[in-house]
Structure formats: structure tokens, C-alpha cells
């Protein structure tokens, strides 16, 4: 089963070809960072228009790189949500049309399902079941993954996502959008201990998170200070430590409480090296194996959508011809167009 996957939920246009026998055959991505940078964040209408321009050339490139003709493709997978509705509609309309013209099945994929299956793209793929920590720009969740499509949310953020907190704090520190990776880099030169930010929700039972207070604490710490390079780095360090501590401790509780043997880390913040190191330690102490996608498959990409689509289509799942796109869509809830 060979599937072409299309991702367009936010500010990356990405296309990939995945084959259930031969693995990932190609992946192509166009980032809109330069397009949105002047505005300090994603401008939805600009994002939608750019996806329209990029999709067809990327599909051609991905097919060529995969040495695949359109006849050899068995289906089309696309991100149906959650995300920016205009951006999603572009991808969904495009993917459905392509599938219709090629007389192949198409399937809408939950963006977060793509993220949490991304480690399956690696040579050492985790078998089910596992615990997944999903940390992206829009979501922060601990998910029990029993099998394909069997997802149970154990805990999630009550306000900002971890990536969103990274991005907003980065902006306060004068770093360009998207600030997560830049903040992490700045934090490397920061001194530990100068700024001690709160570890939200650690004093409470349960597996939920909250990051909006932490962002406010960073704002208060910065107010009235001379923002020399050292201070900015120290704030970045203190902020990153607080986020990493919080994510790591809740993940430890979920791992131990649920007796999991495997931990999967996915989503853009999963590229954070400090977080990765802490999770490696925590998993080792809990006697669990830990799996990360490679950095480029932590952030948005087409490979994870092609993979999720291939697994679902190979399992016999089929969808109606409706263009399926939803801005909000809880993980584990069946899609309306299925
Ligand atoms: O998964 P993703 O590409 O998009 C969403 O589905 O949201 O995640 C993007 C998020 C952004 O908030 C970005 O700042 C953050 O991941 N991010 C990082 C790092 N690299 C990307 N956050 C912390 N450290 C990093 N190294
Ligand atoms: Zn994402």
C-alpha cells in the first residue's frame, strides 16, 4: 500500500510518499517562516494562499523523488484537523480532488495522530501499546496509545500549549518567530538558578498542565530590567528549566502510574534537547524504553500524515467523498466524514 500524504494545517506545506512494504520513499516541505516573520506570527490568510501555490509543485517533487508514478499510488492522506481552517481547507480540497482525479481513495487524518505515530517512521519503531507525550505549538497532552486509532487522553494543558509558551516567551525576549528553538539556543548560555519560575500544577494530583502562568511569570521577571544578553539568556534558561521540569515530572507520574514499558515523545517541542535528555533519564529509571522521531519529524511534516493514512487505508478504512476539515477536533473522537 503506497500513500501520498499532505500536511497543510499551519505554516508548513509538506508532502511525502510512504509505502507499507518499503517505508518512507520521499518527503518534501516548504516552510512559511519567512512569509510570516515580519508579522511576528502566522497570518492565516497568507498561510492559506501560500499552501495553494506550493502544493502541486511539492506533489510533483515528492512523486519524482519516490520514483513513483501516480498509478503506483494507492491512496491520498491529508490533515483534516485540528489547525487553521483556511489552511486545512486548501489541503483537504486539493487532496480530495487529486484522489478523485486519480480514482483512488482519500482519507482525512487527525494532525495529532500523525505526530504520535511519527516515531514509527524510524528504523526502531515502538510497538503498541505506549504512552505518548505530545508537545506541539497547539497541544500538550499525555496520551495512552493502545493501538492504531485507540487513543485515550490522560492529561492535557488547561490553557497554553508548551510550544505556545515557548513562542510567547521568546517574543518577549526579542527573538524572531517561531521562537521555541531560538529560546532553547539562548538558554544554553544562561545560568541556572538566577530566575526560578513556578512549576505549574506539580503540587496537584492528575496529569493536566498549565503554562499560561509561567509565561506571565517570565513577563514579570523581565519588566523594568535592563535586557542585556546575560539577563535574556538567564531568563530563557529559567523558563526552559521550568517547562522541562513540569513536562518531565507529569510524564514520570503517567509512566509509573500506568506501568508503561514504552514512552513516545512527539511534536515540535520534542525537538528540545534538554527535554529529551530529561525524558531519557526518567524512562530509564521507570524501566521503560523511549522513542523520539528524528528532529525534522518532530515538527510538522508530510511523512507522518502519509504513514497514518497508509496504516488506516491498509486496515480497510474508507471515507466518503466529503472535504473533511475541522479547526477543532479532539484526538480519539471519530471523524465526521469517515
Ligand atoms: O508540532 P509543531 O511543528 O506544530 C504544531 O503542530 O503546533 O510544533 C511547533 C512548536 C512551536 O511552538 C516551536 O516553537 C516549538 O514547537 N519548538 C521548540 C523547539 N523546536 C520547535 N520548542 C522548544 N525547543 C525546541 N528546540
Ligand atoms: Zn504539529
Amino acid at each position: 500500500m503506497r500513500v501520498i500524504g499532505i500536511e497543510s494545517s499551519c505554516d508548513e506545506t509538506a508532502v511525502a510518499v510512504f509505502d507499507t512494504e518499503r517505508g518512507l520513499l520521499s518527503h518534501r516541505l516548504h516552510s512559511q517562516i519567512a512569509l510570516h516573520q515580519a508579522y511576528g506570527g502566522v497570518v492565516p490568510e497568507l498561510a492559506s494562499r501560500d499552501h495553494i501555490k506550493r502544493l502541486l509543485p511539492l506533489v510533483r517533487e515528492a512523486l519524482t523523488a519516490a520514483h513513483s508514478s501516480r498509478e503506483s499510488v494507492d491512496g491520498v492522506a491529508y490533515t483534516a484537523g485540528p489547525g487553521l481552517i483556511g489552511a486545512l481547507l486548501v489541503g483537504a480540497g486539493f487532496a480530495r480532488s487529486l484522489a478523485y482525479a486519480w480514482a483512488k481513495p482519500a482519507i482525512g487524518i487527525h494532525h495529532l495522530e500523525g505526530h504520535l505515530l511519527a516515531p514509527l517512521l524510524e528504523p526502531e519503531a515502538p510497538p503498541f501499546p505506549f504512552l505518548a507525550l505530545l508537545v506541539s505549538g497547539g497541544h500538550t497532552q499525555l496520551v495512552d496509545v493502545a493501538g492504531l486509532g485507540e487513543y485515550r487522553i490522560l492529561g492535557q494543558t488547561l490553557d497554553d500549549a508548551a510550544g505556545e509558551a515557548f513562542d510567547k516567551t521568546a517574543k518577549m525576549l526579542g527573538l524572531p518567530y517561531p521562537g521555541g528553538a531560538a529560546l532553547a539556543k539562548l538558554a544554553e548560555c544562561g545560568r541556572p538558578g538566577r530566575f526560578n519560575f513556578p512549576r505549574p500544577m506539580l503540587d496537584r494530583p492528575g496529569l493536566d498542565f498549565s503554562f499560561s502562568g509561567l509565561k506571565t511569570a517570565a513577563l514579570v521577571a523581565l519588566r523594568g530590567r535592563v535586557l542585556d544578553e546575560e539577563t535574556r539568556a538567564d531568563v530563557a534558561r529559567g523558563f526552559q528549566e521550568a517547562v522541562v521540569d513540569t513536562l518531565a515530572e507529569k510524564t514520570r507520574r503517567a509512566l509509573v502510574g500506568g506501568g508503561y514499558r514504552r514512552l513516545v515523545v512527539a511534536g515540535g517541542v520534542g525537538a528540545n534537547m534538554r527535554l529529551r535528555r530529561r525524558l531519557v533519564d526518567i524512562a530509564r529509571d521507570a524501566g521503560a524504553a523511549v522513542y523520539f522521531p528524528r528532529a525534522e519529524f518532530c515538527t510538522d511534516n508530510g511523512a507522518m500524515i502519509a504513514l497514518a493514512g497508509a496504516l488506516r487505508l491498509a486496515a480497510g478504512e474508507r471515507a466518503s467523498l466529503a472535504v473533511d476539515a475541522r479547526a477543532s477536533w479532539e484526538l480519539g473522537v471519530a471523524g465526521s466524514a469517515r
Side-chain angles (χ1 to χ4, degrees):
M1 165 80 60
R2 187 169 296 186
V3 170
I4 188 157
I6 292 173
E7 156 63 35
S8 72
S9 65
C10 190
D11 56 351
E12 267 105 15
T13 324
V15 178
V17 181
F18 181 85
D19 187 296
T20 46
E21 301 291 312
R22 295 175 50 207
L24 185 64
L25 300 183
S26 69
H27 61 104
R28 289 290 182 273
L29 181 142
H30 174 79
S31 162
Q32 299 180 353
I33 287 180
L35 177 70
H36 301 294
Q37 204 142 44
Y39 305 95
V42 180
V43 182
E45 183 59 23
L46 294 183
S48 308
R49 291 179 194 198
D50 202 60
H51 288 309
I52 294 173
K53 278 203 293 207
R54 307 289 171 184
L55 273 169
L56 198 52
L58 282 175
V59 164
R60 289 205 176 102
E61 275 182 37
L63 284 176
T64 306
H67 304 292
S68 289
S69 63
R70 65 194 222 187
E71 289 77 23
S72 68
V73 172
D74 302 303
V76 181
Y78 63 94
T79 304
L84 300 173
I85 192 62
L88 289 166
L89 276 168
V90 171
F94 177 87
R96 278 255 162 249
S97 310
L98 199 63
Y100 190 76
W102 290 358
K104 308 285 179 180
I107 191 160
I109 296 296
H110 196 295
H111 181 76
L112 298 182
E113 175 176 54
H115 274 304
L116 60 83
L117 296 181
L120 273 61
L121 291 160
E122 301 305 331
E124 273 198 37
F128 298 119
F130 52 76
L131 172 71
L133 171 67
L134 208 94
V135 268
S136 72
H139 294 83
T140 303
Q141 297 180 335
L142 280 161
V143 186
D144 175 277
V145 180
L148 181 69
E150 294 176 62
Y151 313 127
R152 194 162 51 89
I153 297 171
L154 305 173
Q156 60 188 327
T157 184
L158 304 177
D159 40 56
D160 290 354
E164 191 180 353
F166 261 96
D167 292 342
K168 288 176 175 170
T169 305
K171 204 169 183 177
M172 290 181 225
L173 289 167
L175 298 167
Y177 144 88
L183 190 152
K185 194 157 186 291
L186 185 62
E188 279 171 28
C189 331
R191 288 166 298 176
R194 179 167 167 212
F195 292 96
N196 278 313
F197 293 117
R199 271 61 174 158
M201 309 282 285
L202 284 194
D203 53 347
R204 289 187 223 173
L207 298 171
D208 286 336
F209 304 90
S210 163
F211 290 108
S212 69
L214 188 51
K215 170 196 69 195
T216 311
L219 182 67
V220 171
L222 290 170
R223 199 175 285 155
R225 271 181 207 278
V226 180
L227 287 189
D228 53 64
E229 200 53 31
E230 259 184 15
T231 303
R232 290 170 67 244
D234 293 345
V235 169
R237 175 81 186 237
F239 171 84
Q240 178 171 267
E241 288 304 304
V243 176
V244 168
D245 271 0
T246 309
L247 291 171
E249 173 55 19
K250 291 274 170 160
T251 305
R252 191 194 65 76
R253 288 183 198 173
L255 260 185
V256 173
Y260 291 95
R261 314 304 303 160
R262 287 172 286 276
L263 169 67
V264 156
V265 185
V269 185
N272 186 282
M273 291 315 291
R274 185 89 187 133
L275 178 65
R276 285 187 174 222
R277 280 197 292 271
R278 283 293 298 283
L279 292 172
V280 166
D281 292 346
I282 277 168
R284 189 197 49 228
D285 293 348
V290 61
Y291 301 83
F292 302 100
R294 72 194 83 161
E296 65 182 322
F297 295 157
C298 278
T299 46
D300 291 349
N301 64 86
M304 65 186 194
I305 303 302
L307 168 90
L311 296 182
R312 282 188 176 269
L313 287 171
E317 199 171 307
R318 292 293 178 271
S320 77
L321 288 178
V323 173
D324 185 14
R326 274 159 288 167
S328 306
W329 181 9
E330 189 169 332
L331 185 65
V333 175
S336 60
R338 291 221 166 101

